[in-house]
Amino acid sequence: MLPYQSLEEAEEALGRALSVAEKLWFQYSAQKPDLILHCHNILFVMLFYTLAPLPFVFIGLGWFKNMDKFKIQPKVNDCFSNMFKCYKHVMRTFVLVVGPLQVISYPTIQWIGIRTNLPLPSLSEVFWQIVVYFIIEDFSHYWIHRMLHEKWAYKKIHRVHHEYTAPIGLAAPYAHWAEILILGLPSFLGPALVPGHIITYWMWFILRQLEAIETHSGYLLPWTPTKYIPFYGGAEYHDYHHFVGEQSKSNFASIFTYCDYIYGTNKGYRSHKQVLEKYEHSNKFNDLPFNCREKKLS
């Protein structure tokens, strides 16, 4: 809730006229408690989780046959009932686990300094903070993800996420409730270390959700703008990790590739790529089923 009763009072406090965006923010947030603004986050996560995977759902159901050539595991098909089952599982987790966590974590959000007041951050501030959040999340996620592939943690927790050996966009947050909590920590770590405005906080979780959906989409789309991001892993990179499953010793990073490169956990994937290139050059690529080549390299 903003400490101003009117636009004029806000402008007097800032010593300047408000921008159009700041006026809109004032009109929207002035009378809303900060707790309510904080809890918008779960609403945005649920909304974008519902809408963003829809193109991949339609493609997977065969609505656009010309897109099949971009499917990473072309021999694996999914059905609407399985997709809807995945969606219900994730939404149940959001409501029963993530939602209450949002409410419980509010004092922490206040303590670390996520602000809701004016002025709004500049676009450059938002951009660089989110870049930092992605880097922090990727590094910390890498090590926690490796831990989840230890025998006990995989069997008790992480195996749920790996039920999808050929991942789909809807399965990005499909996981054991404990994993949602554990891997949620890296996502909160960036805002905790580099706190910003609540709008930056919302945008960060929306973008992280969209990135995870693309990474789990099962499609390598040639026009995706993320391919221009340095060291970005993408769908093909993470798809390999999913198919190998419990035995995977490769591709633990959530976003970028440099941690796997530095710590030597991309060797299986590199061998996999070399085999693919070999078969492509020998014109026998179609004779090597995706599933078989993955198993050989696991």
Side-chain angles (χ1 to χ4, degrees):
M1 184 178 295
L2 299 182
Y4 314 117
Q5 298 301 314
S6 66
L7 287 171
E8 292 73 17
E9 186 180 340
E11 289 179 335
E12 183 179 352
L14 293 179
R16 61 172 175 80
L18 299 183
S19 66
V20 174
E22 288 171 332
K23 289 178 180 179
L24 291 173
W25 178 248
F26 179 89
Q27 293 169 357
Y28 182 76
S29 66
Q31 301 304 316
K32 289 182 176 64
D34 286 358
L35 174 61
I36 299 300
L37 294 174
H38 169 60
C39 290
H40 278 39
N41 204 43
I42 183 59
L43 299 179
F44 289 137
V45 167
M46 294 170 71
L47 176 64
F48 280 88
Y49 170 71
T50 300
L51 297 179
L54 286 179
F56 298 113
V57 169
F58 297 146
I59 294 170
L61 293 175
W63 288 23
F64 305 98
K65 293 294 184 182
N66 61 323
M67 301 293 288
D68 290 347
K69 60 187 176 183
F70 301 123
K71 190 172 176 61
I72 299 170
Q73 297 192 44
K75 302 294 184 181
V76 181
N77 295 312
D78 216 334
C79 61
F80 178 78
S81 60
N82 187 46
M83 293 179 182
F84 190 59
K85 178 183 176 182
C86 175
Y87 177 79
K88 289 192 296 182
H89 173 96
V90 172
M91 291 300 284
R92 188 184 308 117
T93 304
F94 282 163
V95 171
L96 299 179
V97 178
V98 181
L101 180 63
Q102 288 284 308
V103 177
I104 295 171
S105 65
Y106 174 63
T108 304
I109 296 301
Q110 281 188 309
W111 178 72
I112 64 177
I114 300 294
R115 65 184 184 87
T116 63
N117 59 355
L118 295 171
L120 293 182
S122 65
L123 290 177
S124 62
E125 180 182 342
V126 172
F127 174 80
W128 286 113
Q129 281 189 317
I130 289 178
V131 168
V132 170
Y133 293 171
F134 270 113
I135 293 172
I136 293 173
E137 197 279 344
D138 184 71
F139 182 80
S140 51
H141 180 108
Y142 171 86
W143 290 105
I144 296 176
H145 191 184
R146 283 188 68 170
M147 178 197 72
L148 288 173
H149 272 264
E150 294 298 322
K151 186 174 182 179
W152 182 91
Y154 188 92
K155 181 179 179 181
K156 298 295 184 180
I157 300 175
H158 194 46
R159 66 173 179 79
V160 175
H161 184 64
H162 275 274
E163 288 176 12
Y164 285 86
T165 55
I168 59 175
L170 287 168
Y174 179 87
H176 191 285
W177 65 267
E179 179 170 340
I180 296 296
L181 296 178
I182 293 169
L183 287 180
L185 293 175
S187 297
F188 279 101
L189 187 57
L193 295 176
V194 189
H197 198 275
I198 191 75
I199 292 178
T200 308
Y201 185 75
W202 292 344
M203 290 182 63
W204 154 239
F205 281 98
I206 290 170
L207 290 173
R208 179 66 181 91
Q209 178 88 308
L210 295 177
E211 182 276 329
I213 290 169
E214 184 203 15
T215 300
H216 288 83
S217 68
Y219 289 87
L220 187 59
L221 303 178
W223 55 78
T224 176
T226 53
K227 69 180 183 180
Y228 298 108
I229 299 175
F231 308 110
Y232 185 75
E236 185 182 34
Y237 190 80
H238 194 66
D239 204 282
Y240 174 81
H241 173 84
H242 263 266
F243 188 84
V244 178
E246 181 179 6
Q247 286 74 39
S248 179
K249 303 299 181 185
S250 291
N251 301 17
F252 293 108
S254 59
I255 303 161
F256 304 111
T257 60
Y258 61 86
C259 280
D260 286 302
Y261 176 80
I262 293 171
Y263 300 111
T265 50
N266 65 348
K267 295 177 181 178
Y269 178 70
R270 282 190 293 170
S271 299
H272 160 70
K273 295 288 285 184
Q274 289 171 0
V275 169
L276 293 188
E277 290 172 2
K278 174 183 175 182
Y279 274 84
E280 284 175 342
H281 292 317
S282 64
N283 296 320
K284 295 181 180 179
F285 180 74
N286 292 330
D287 297 332
L288 186 64
F290 183 92
N291 292 4
C292 293
R293 67 181 182 243
E294 289 284 12
K295 288 178 181 177
K296 288 180 180 180
L297 293 170
S298 62

